């Protein structure tokens, strides 16, 4: 399935900046960074639960927020991109 | 059924593969050119002098991602395999059975039956689709001969005899292979199968695609816990993945040969992509290799209904499905190994 993860981490404090870094690092592990705080993940549901759990442990629920958008399996016609930074089609042919 | 994941092909010789967190990162001149999460991959195949960091190798081994190194021309060089996995009992049974000529022959017979049945249907398909452009009488005759071979093999339980029948049928099939090439005849022709090195464009492509297929089959066998090096039809030889070659027999014609034919007939490859060396060897240029790889990957995603499992799966999972059936047969859960019969 395809999940979009976005987050907002309050960075007014030192701890906040630390959390932001940790959240970003965790998201990079599982998905593709398409914008600064937006990640696209092509991921198995079970694996995704794991990510969700690990992210929840990092954030401060009073100050930060996480949003998950479930786009299912037929996501290709649900995403449109304009401008720079095109993404890599992770299920397509990858040759470098 | 398992999910078909992606394979990363690295064809640029100056790339270096490394690990960062859960990502595989491709570096060129120490600059990052690609990054993707490991859980989206089931294999990495590199061509040329690319290196991979030990950390990445470790992560691949742990996550069961096959890491395979080939030369620029697509010859298999080596594979990084992690801890020996799977089931010891299964593997021991496999060794035991391979020592025994009778059980080997029973399995080998089914591999060959699959092979000849599929070759026959590749020819029958061509007759059906291009009856007006082909020498139908000649093809029908070969198809008839192949049917005969099938009948002979059905009753045969002698390994040497089986090998003989197989050789005979293979030469029958290859005798009309050239007829199946419908386009670009001046640069793509097939006289006979030759390898190490391939001497014409068609053989160069066949060799390359067979290597890709062997690699897929060997990793599929590995995933179900069988040893790809101990075969039943092919004899053991150091460094040769005999069981992978056994299991490939039935897939060669439908999977690899038809793929090569369609690349030529649809004019996806052309003569300018091939170079002839002084010693007669033919090699492909980088662009042709890339085209073949990307088409190969597309082909693997096409779906079909598995004739035995009666389940809809991708072509890329066929080697896995067959390995699973073979493992079940070795374990004794299936009475006989059901070859992959395509029509």
């Amino acid at each position: 399935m395809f999940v979009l993860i976005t987050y907002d981490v309050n960075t007014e404090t030192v701890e906040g900046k630390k959390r932001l870094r940790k959240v970003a690092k965790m998201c990079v592990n599982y998905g593709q960074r398409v914008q600064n705080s937006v990640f696209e993940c092509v991921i198995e549901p079970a694996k995704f639960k794991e990510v969700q759990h690990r992210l929840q442990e990092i954030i401060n629920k009073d100050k930060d927020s996480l949003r998950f958008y479930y786009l299912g399996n037929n996501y290709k016609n649900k995403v449109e991109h304009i401008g720079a930074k095109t993404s890599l089609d992770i299920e397509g042919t990858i040759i470098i | 059924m398992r999910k078909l994941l992606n394979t990363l092909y690295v064809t640029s010789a100056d790339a270096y593969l490394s690990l960062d967190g859960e990502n595989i990162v491709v570096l060129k001149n120490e600059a990052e050119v690609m990054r993707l999460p490991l859980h989206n991959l089931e294999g990495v195949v590199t061509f040329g002098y690319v290196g991979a960091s030990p950390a990445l190798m470790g992560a691949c081994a742990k996550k069961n991602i096959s890491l395979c190194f080939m030369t620029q021309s697509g010859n298999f060089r080596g594979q990084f395999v992690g801890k020996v996995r799977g089931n010891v009992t299964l593997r021991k049974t496999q060794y035991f059975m391979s020592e025994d000529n009778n059980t080997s022959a029973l399995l080998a017979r089914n591999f060959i039956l699959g092979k000849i049945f599929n070759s026959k249907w590749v020819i029958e398909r061509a007759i059906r689709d291009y009856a007006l452009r082909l020498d139908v009488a000649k093809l029908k005759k070969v198809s008839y001969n192949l049917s005969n071979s099938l009948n002979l093999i059905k009753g045969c339980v002698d390994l040497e005899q089986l090998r003989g029948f197989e050789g005979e049928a293979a030469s029958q099939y290859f005798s009309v292979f050239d007829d199946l090439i419908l386009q670009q005849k001046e640069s793509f022709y097939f006289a006979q199968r030759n390898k190490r090195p391939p001497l014409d464009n068609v053989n160069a492509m066949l060799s390359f695609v067979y290597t890709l297929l062997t690699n897929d089959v060997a990793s599929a066998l590995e995933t179900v816990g069988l040893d790809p090096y101990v075969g039943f039809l092919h004899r053991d030889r150091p460094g040769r993945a005999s069981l992978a070659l056994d299991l490939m027999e039935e897939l060669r014609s439908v999977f690899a040969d038809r793929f090569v034919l369609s690349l030529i007939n649809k004019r996806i490859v052309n003569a300018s992509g091939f170079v002839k060396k002084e010693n007669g060897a033919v090699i492909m240029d980088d662009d042709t290799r890339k085209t073949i790889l990307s088409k190969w990957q597309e082909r693997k995603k096409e779906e079909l209904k598995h004739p035995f499992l009666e389940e809809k799966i991708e072509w890329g999972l066929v080697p896995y499905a067959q390995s699973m059936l073979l493992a079940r047969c070795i374990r004794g859960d299936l009475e006989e190994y059901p070859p992959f019969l395509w029509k």
Side-chain angles (χ1 to χ4, degrees), chain B residues 27-146:
Chain B
L27 301 167
K28 269 191 198 174
N29 301 323
E30 291 179 23
E32 179 182 322
V33 285
M34 190 197 281
R35 161 188 291 271
L36 65 154
L38 280 172
H39 68 81
N40 291 111
L41 287 180
E42 68 172 15
V44 181
V45 181
T46 71
F47 298 88
Y49 299 101
V50 251
S53 75
L56 176 70
M57 291 183 174
C60 285
K62 198 170 145 208
K63 290 178 189 296
N64 222 340
I65 298 171
S66 90
L67 189 57
C68 175
F69 299 92
M70 310 249 202
T71 64
Q72 197 81 49
S73 51
N75 285 330
F76 181 80
R77 192 186 267 151
Q79 194 178 19
F80 181 73
V81 184
K83 271 188 212 154
V84 177
R85 289 176 299 266
N87 184 333
V88 206
T89 341
L90 177 68
R91 215 171 303 117
K92 272 194 166 169
T93 322
Q94 178 193 352
Y95 297 153
F96 178 72
M97 284 170 84
S98 80
E99 291 294 322
D100 184 72
N101 264 336
N102 290 330
T103 33
S104 289
L106 284 178
L107 281 167
R109 184 176 70 182
N110 287 7
F111 296 138
I112 298 172
L113 277 177
K115 173 182 177 149
I116 297 173
F117 183 89
N118 289 337
S119 323
K120 175 181 146 79
W121 281 98
V122 166
I123 294 172
E124 287 286 345
R125 261 282 176 120
I127 298 177
R128 192 189 77 188
D129 293 347
Y130 304 102
L132 296 173
R133 299 172 63 183
L134 293 169
D135 182 352
V136 175
K138 183 178 167 193
L139 292 182
K140 275 283 179 200
K141 187 161 177 278
V142 171
S143 163
Y144 176 76
N145 289 342
L146 291 178

Side-chain angles (χ1 to χ4, degrees), chain A residues 25-37:
Chain A
K25 211 165 189 173
M26 188 55 69
C27 290
V28 163
N29 278 342
Y30 297 94
Q32 189 183 174
R33 187 172 214 151
V34 283
Q35 283 176 350
N36 279 338
S37 50

Side-chain angles (χ1 to χ4, degrees), chain B residues 18-303:
Chain B
S18 64
L19 180 77
D20 180 31
E22 301 277 309
N23 286 184
I24 175 167
V25 179
V26 183
L27 301 167
K28 269 191 198 174
N29 301 323
E30 291 179 23
E32 179 182 322
V33 285
M34 190 197 281
R35 161 188 291 271
L36 65 154
L38 280 172
H39 68 81
N40 291 111
L41 287 180
E42 68 172 15
V44 181
V45 181
T46 71
F47 298 88
Y49 299 101
V50 251
S53 75
L56 176 70
M57 291 183 174
C60 285
K62 198 170 145 208
K63 290 178 189 296
N64 222 340
I65 298 171
S66 90
L67 189 57
C68 175
F69 299 92
M70 310 249 202
T71 64
Q72 197 81 49
S73 51
N75 285 330
F76 181 80
R77 192 186 267 151
Q79 194 178 19
F80 181 73
V81 184
K83 271 188 212 154
V84 177
R85 289 176 299 266
N87 184 333
V88 206
T89 341
L90 177 68
R91 215 171 303 117
K92 272 194 166 169
T93 322
Q94 178 193 352
Y95 297 153
F96 178 72
M97 284 170 84
S98 80
E99 291 294 322
D100 184 72
N101 264 336
N102 290 330
T103 33
S104 289
L106 284 178
L107 281 167
R109 184 176 70 182
N110 287 7
F111 296 138
I112 298 172
L113 277 177
K115 173 182 177 149
I116 297 173
F117 183 89
N118 289 337
S119 323
K120 175 181 146 79
W121 281 98
V122 166
I123 294 172
E124 287 286 345
R125 261 282 176 120
I127 298 177
R128 192 189 77 188
D129 293 347
Y130 304 102
L132 296 173
R133 299 172 63 183
L134 293 169
D135 182 352
V136 175
K138 183 178 167 193
L139 292 182
K140 275 283 179 200
K141 187 161 177 278
V142 171
S143 163
Y144 176 76
N145 289 342
L146 291 178
S147 303
N148 271 347
S149 306
L150 282 175
N151 287 332
L152 286 174
I153 291 164
K154 265 179 209 157
C156 173
V157 281
D158 182 74
L159 212 47
E160 285 310 315
Q161 240 177 344
L162 279 171
R163 288 195 179 106
F165 286 137
E166 192 243 319
E168 171 58 26
S171 75
Q172 279 283 332
Y173 166 70
F174 276 123
S175 74
V176 291
F177 195 71
D178 190 50
D179 292 74
L180 305 181
I181 301 172
L182 299 168
Q183 301 285 340
Q184 314 189 71
K185 280 295 237 197
E186 59 299 333
S187 33
F188 291 94
Y189 43 80
F190 182 89
Q192 57 172 31
R193 176 89 184 102
N194 47 48
K195 49 196 167 183
R196 286 180 230 113
L199 302 174
D200 55 60
N201 299 352
V202 176
N203 273 300
M205 283 166 79
L206 284 177
S207 291
F208 184 65
V209 172
Y210 286 162
T211 328
L212 293 179
L213 186 59
T214 321
N215 187 40
D216 285 350
V217 174
S219 3
L221 287 167
E222 201 95 47
T223 14
V224 299
L226 289 170
D227 185 339
Y229 288 89
V230 178
F232 301 104
L233 172 64
H234 289 82
R235 287 201 186 85
D236 298 347
R237 191 192 290 164
R240 178 165 82 173
S242 300
L243 187 61
L245 295 175
D246 282 0
L247 202 57
M248 238 178 89
E249 289 296 355
E250 55 199 80
L251 301 176
R252 273 178 211 265
S253 60
V254 277
F255 210 157
D257 299 353
R258 281 184 75 232
F259 173 70
V260 168
L261 287 171
S262 75
L263 289 179
I264 301 171
N265 289 343
K266 289 184 179 157
R267 295 181 180 271
I268 293 164
V269 293
N270 51 51
S272 59
F274 296 83
V275 192
K276 198 157 185 106
K277 291 278 179 171
E278 295 85 354
N279 60 355
V282 171
I283 56 168
M284 294 182 265
D285 67 10
D286 285 353
D287 285 339
T288 308
R289 202 170 302 123
K290 273 191 186 172
T291 318
I292 296 181
L293 287 174
S294 73
K295 290 286 162 197
W296 178 252
Q297 206 60 22
E298 279 172 31
R299 166 62 60 96
K300 284 207 316 203
K301 280 198 200 104
E302 282 169 23
E303 283 195 337

Side-chain angles (χ1 to χ4, degrees), chain A residues 33-89:
Chain A
R33 187 172 214 151
V34 283
Q35 283 176 350
N36 279 338
S37 50
V38 179
F39 288 81
E40 290 180 359
C41 309
V42 175
I43 197 166
E44 292 285 302
K47 190 100 183 156
F48 180 67
K49 278 280 163 236
E50 175 191 320
V51 188
Q52 232 177 357
H53 176 73
R54 292 173 83 171
L55 285 171
Q56 274 183 49
E57 295 210 314
I58 301 170
I59 62 161
N60 177 340
K61 284 196 181 117
D62 300 327
K63 291 177 177 166
D64 315 329
S65 73
L66 285 168
R67 290 185 83 86
F68 304 105
Y69 298 85
Y70 302 96
L71 294 171
N73 285 324
N74 300 318
Y75 58 88
K76 284 197 176 128
N77 46 12
K78 292 181 186 147
V79 182
E80 194 185 336
H81 178 93
I82 298 175
K85 270 184 103 176
T86 48
S87 67
L88 181 81
D89 176 11

